[in-house]
Amino acid sequence: MKLYKVISINIVLSFALIACYAQNSVYNLNKPDQVFTLDSELNEISGLHSKSESELIAVQDEEGIIYYINKVDGEILKTEKFGKNGDYEGITLCKQKIYVLESNGNIHIYKNNKSTSYHFKKEGKFDFEGLCHDSKNNQLLVACKTHGNKDKKDHIYIYGFDISENKYHKSPIFKIKKEKSYKKFWPSGIAIHPNGEIFVLSSRSKMLMILSPKGDVIKTQNLAPSLFHQPEGIAFSNNSDLYISNEKRKTKPTLLKFKVE
């Protein structure tokens, strides 16, 4: 009897944990809790990261500038120059170091007004869009929009950058086969939810993909073009608030905030 009780309790707890895990990342993406119109300096906003309870940091894909954004009103609090003009596509923070992704895969590390660069060394015309910090594995996740090998267009590739050695892993962390429902999915942003799920944006296909911590596709969701005219930046706060930024395109740049339902 005692054994059966233990097994039953464990099963109940397992289902409770699964239910909790699933509920922690449910958002109504058709109804943002707040919408901020961003300053024209952020017309080309391309990367986003939640720095604190009150601030986001962002980059845009033309100038080597870090923007500090107020979460309350979307206003720019300050800026810092970290490098030359370039095509910057992602930003994240770890232990007071700011990491910025360039579209060619190069990683720029900025701290104490000094910037150091590390290169993506694989041959081919790779195009990267999306960077986030994977604290559990002491690495950065780097989303590949276009693989440098034309024969490898049927998968989504997410690479890892080891932050202890400041170099890329030899092989991709995740290789996700493109199914019919998301055949035209090209990543434009990536972030890890506090529960471990990995959220990947696709601006071109107006879609969000949610992966398990092991890289399995949990679900995909189409995004309304009226709200997500060019979604490129994505970030989570510690309390699971979701932030998604849109480049200007035919309208103004915006920042959308969603709370867990």
Side-chain angles (χ1 to χ4, degrees), residues 15-247:
F15 278 112
L17 286 171
I18 291 169
C20 179
Y21 181 84
Q23 290 172 1
N24 280 345
S25 63
V26 177
Y27 301 88
N28 183 352
L29 295 179
N30 292 314
K31 190 178 179 181
D33 292 272
Q34 289 180 285
V35 179
F36 305 108
T37 299
L38 298 173
D39 190 275
S40 60
E41 284 188 62
L42 291 167
N43 281 347
E44 302 295 323
I45 185 170
S46 56
L48 198 65
H49 176 81
S50 178
K51 180 179 179 290
S52 67
E53 291 183 4
S54 60
E55 287 183 343
L56 295 158
I57 52 175
V59 287
Q60 50 114 316
D61 62 13
E62 292 182 346
E63 298 180 26
I65 296 174
I66 298 166
Y67 294 85
Y68 293 77
I69 301 172
N70 192 332
K71 285 183 176 180
V72 175
D73 55 17
E75 294 294 318
I76 297 172
L77 297 169
K78 68 175 182 177
T79 62
E80 286 184 318
K81 183 79 172 175
F82 73 88
K84 300 177 180 179
N85 291 354
D87 188 5
Y88 301 105
E89 298 291 349
I91 186 168
T92 193
L93 174 69
C94 174
K95 296 179 180 179
Q96 306 305 311
K97 293 181 180 179
I98 295 176
Y99 295 80
V100 179
L101 171 70
E102 201 169 353
S103 62
N104 59 10
N106 292 348
I107 301 287
H108 303 268
I109 303 176
Y110 179 76
K111 183 180 180 181
N112 298 330
N113 297 317
K114 294 181 180 180
S115 185
T116 308
S117 300
Y118 298 90
H119 300 283
F120 181 75
K121 296 180 180 180
K122 289 185 180 293
E123 294 183 358
K125 293 183 178 181
F126 284 80
D127 187 6
F128 290 89
E129 287 196 14
L131 179 73
C132 69
H133 177 221
D134 177 6
S135 59
K136 288 186 177 180
N137 297 295
N138 198 37
Q139 64 184 356
L140 308 179
L141 295 185
V142 189
C144 183
K145 180 181 179 182
T146 306
H147 198 283
N149 187 331
K150 293 182 179 180
D151 297 329
K152 296 185 177 182
K153 304 293 185 183
D154 57 346
H155 285 78
I156 298 164
Y157 293 86
I158 297 175
Y159 287 85
F161 183 86
D162 188 321
I163 57 177
S164 61
E165 298 185 4
N166 289 325
K167 67 178 183 180
Y168 277 92
H169 297 296
K170 291 183 179 180
S171 301
I173 300 297
F174 302 126
K175 180 181 175 182
I176 304 154
K177 185 172 177 58
K178 290 187 178 182
E179 302 294 344
K180 186 177 180 179
S181 59
Y182 48 90
K183 193 73 176 177
K184 296 182 179 180
F185 191 100
W186 291 278
S188 61
I190 187 170
I192 299 178
H193 189 280
N195 71 3
E197 291 176 346
I198 302 164
F199 282 51
V200 188
L201 278 176
S202 175
S203 179
R204 192 181 300 184
S205 60
K206 301 293 184 291
M207 185 176 286
L208 176 70
M209 176 182 289
I210 302 177
L211 308 176
S212 74
K214 294 183 178 180
D216 299 314
V217 178
I218 297 173
K219 65 181 258 186
T220 58
Q221 182 172 343
N222 292 320
L223 302 174
S226 57
L227 279 173
F228 301 92
H229 44 269
Q230 193 162 337
E232 303 245 344
I234 181 169
F236 290 100
S237 61
N238 289 334
N239 67 353
S240 300
D241 288 346
L242 167 63
Y243 295 86
I244 295 178
S245 59
N246 290 284
E247 289 191 8

